[in-house]
C-alpha cells in the first residue's frame, strides 16, 4: 500500500512540475522560435497569411478565426475546445498527429522548451491568458 501511495505522489509531483514548466516560458526566446511559425502565421496583426492569424489565439476555439477557411478536420477538432497552454503544448508537438487531416504542413516543435517559449510569446498577443 505504501509503495502505491509513494508512486501516486511521485506521479502527481511530476505532473505538477511538468505543468508548471509548460506554463513558464521565455518570451524573448519564444519570439525567435516563432520565426518558424511566422512563415505561415501572423501574431502581431489580425491579417491571415497561409495560416490564420494567431493574434488573440489564447482563449479562442480552434478552427474558428473569422475569415479564414479551415480544413474540416480542424473545425471538427475545435468543437468544444479552447486554445490554452495544455492544448497548444499537445498540438505544437505534433499538429498532424493531433488533427488528422489538417492542412497545416508543419511537423511540430520537438523541444518542450521551444513549445513553452513560443506559447509565452504568443500569449503577449492575446487578451485571455
Amino acid at each position: 500500500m505504501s509503495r502505491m501511495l509513494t508512486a501516486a505522489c511521485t506521479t502527481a509531483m511530476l505532473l505538477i512540475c511538468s505543468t508548471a514548466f509548460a506554463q513558464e516560458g521565455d518570451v524573448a526566446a519564444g519570439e525567435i522560435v516563432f520565426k518558424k511559425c511566422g512563415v505561415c502565421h501572423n501574431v502581431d496583426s489580425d491579417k491571415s497569411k497561409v495560416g490564420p492569424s494567431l493574434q488573440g489565439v489564447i482563449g479562442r476555439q480552434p478552427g474558428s478565426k473569422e475569415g479564414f477557411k479551415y480544413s474540416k478536420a480542424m473545425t471538427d477538432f475545435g468543437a468544444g475546445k479552447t486554445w490554452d497552454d495544455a492544448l497548444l503544448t499537445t498540438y505544437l508537438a505534433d499538429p498532424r498527429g493531433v488533427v488528422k487531416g489538417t492542412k497545416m504542413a508543419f511537423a511540430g516543435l520537438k523541444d518542450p522548451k521551444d513549445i513553452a517559449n513560443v506559447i509565452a510569446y504568443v500569449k503577449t498577443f492575446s487578451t485571455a491568458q
Side-chain angles (χ1 to χ4, degrees), residues 49-124:
K49 292 170 122 179
V50 172
S53 169
L54 300 179
Q55 186 178 60
V57 73
I58 305 295
R60 186 166 74 208
Q61 178 179 327
S64 68
K65 175 76 173 100
E66 192 172 321
F68 187 80
K69 185 167 172 56
Y70 290 91
S71 65
K72 181 173 178 355
M74 181 55 87
T75 56
D76 289 350
F77 167 78
K81 295 179 180 78
T82 302
W83 287 123
D84 60 14
D85 287 23
L87 188 57
L88 279 169
T89 297
T90 301
Y91 181 74
L92 290 173
D94 186 13
R96 292 179 289 176
V98 172
V99 182
K100 305 281 189 213
T102 184
K103 294 188 293 186
M104 188 161 137
F106 185 64
L109 298 170
K110 300 309 171 202
D111 185 343
K113 286 182 187 176
D114 286 346
I115 293 170
N117 292 340
V118 82
I119 290 170
Y121 176 66
V122 168
K123 278 182 170 182
T124 66

